[in-house]
Amino acid sequence: MTRSRSRKNPAAPAVTAADRPDADLSFTAFHQMNRASYVRYAETYLRHRQDAEEAIDSTFEHLLRTWDEVLLTENPAAYAWTVMRNKVVDHARARTRRPPVIDEAAFNTVALRDAVDPIGQITESLALFRALRQLTDRQQDVMVMIYLQGMNAPAVAAVLGMTSATVRSTVRHSLRRLREILGPDRTMEGQR
């Protein structure tokens, strides 16, 4: 029996997403559509699949408990992404690691594996990743998903709860900002 808080009995428990089949379906669909992208993103920062899955499981547990409120937000996908991002940071801190940063991802790039001058590539990559940390969270997320994970604009838009045009605009602004940070003698050849 579904219990709902009534005016006659305000102490009765409120209906939660777990009590409503339609909410279960929307949450299940959301989970199925986003889990793989969330895990891939978390793994980029946490560097271990098991840690990434734990952080994402915690994210979805939180989202399920608050699903009714999530659905009432202006942009549920964007809200869920913020929850996930915070859970990844919390997970890293709970493991007594530094908060997730992009720097170490430089050592896993294709550019390093194919570099003629690996030391020069490491130096260049570290400068780029330090510059990436100066971008906004949204810009960092978009750049990581596009360039490190190889996602296309429509896929990034679906996960982040924005339009493809917004993703492309974010990439343009991010690249412009990175060029400003890195200076005129540093180019970002091969960037999209």
Side-chain angles (χ1 to χ4, degrees):
M1 175 192 284
T2 301
R3 293 171 289 173
S4 65
R5 195 170 293 192
S6 69
R7 291 181 188 174
K8 293 179 185 177
N9 185 2
V15 174
T16 64
D19 295 328
R20 291 189 5 243
D22 60 327
D24 282 346
L25 290 175
S26 68
F27 178 81
T28 300
F30 181 83
H31 180 270
Q32 288 173 346
M33 287 174 35
N34 292 289
R35 180 172 171 68
S37 296
Y38 281 22
V39 169
R40 194 167 53 245
Y41 180 87
E43 196 171 11
T44 299
Y45 286 97
L46 299 173
R47 293 171 305 284
H48 298 298
R49 179 71 177 203
Q50 184 176 352
D51 287 347
E53 288 182 354
E54 286 177 17
I56 300 312
D57 288 344
S58 175
T59 298
F60 281 111
E61 288 169 8
H62 174 85
L63 292 172
L64 178 60
R65 283 192 309 274
T66 60
W67 192 241
D68 289 332
E69 291 83 18
V70 172
L71 292 176
L72 294 174
T73 63
E74 183 177 324
N75 188 335
Y79 177 85
W81 180 264
T82 301
V83 169
M84 183 278 301
R85 195 175 210 282
N86 291 336
K87 292 285 185 181
V88 169
V89 170
D90 291 346
H91 193 82
R93 287 183 180 140
R95 299 287 189 264
T96 63
R97 296 183 191 143
R98 295 180 329 175
V101 293
I102 298 173
D103 295 272
E104 294 166 37
F107 296 100
N108 295 322
T109 63
V110 174
L112 181 58
R113 283 179 265 156
D114 296 339
V116 174
D117 175 16
I119 300 301
Q121 184 62 51
I122 289 171
T123 302
E124 187 176 308
S125 293
L126 287 174
L128 175 60
F129 288 108
R130 273 189 226 105
L132 278 168
R133 285 191 311 199
Q134 295 181 44
L135 299 176
T136 66
D137 288 347
R138 174 187 261 192
Q139 289 173 326
Q140 285 181 30
D141 292 345
V142 168
M143 297 300 280
V144 164
M145 295 172 90
I146 294 281
Y147 292 104
L148 289 180
Q149 297 178 341
M151 295 174 70
N152 62 29
V156 172
V159 171
L160 295 179
M162 57 178 67
T163 66
S164 292
T166 301
V167 170
R168 289 188 297 275
S169 174
T170 301
V171 168
R172 276 192 313 277
H173 290 290
S174 299
L175 290 174
R176 185 179 318 124
R177 179 70 180 125
L178 289 172
R179 286 184 189 103
E180 291 169 3
I181 294 166
L182 293 171
D185 58 337
R186 299 296 263 302
T187 62
M188 296 183 62
E189 295 175 21
Q191 300 298 315
R192 297 176 206 186

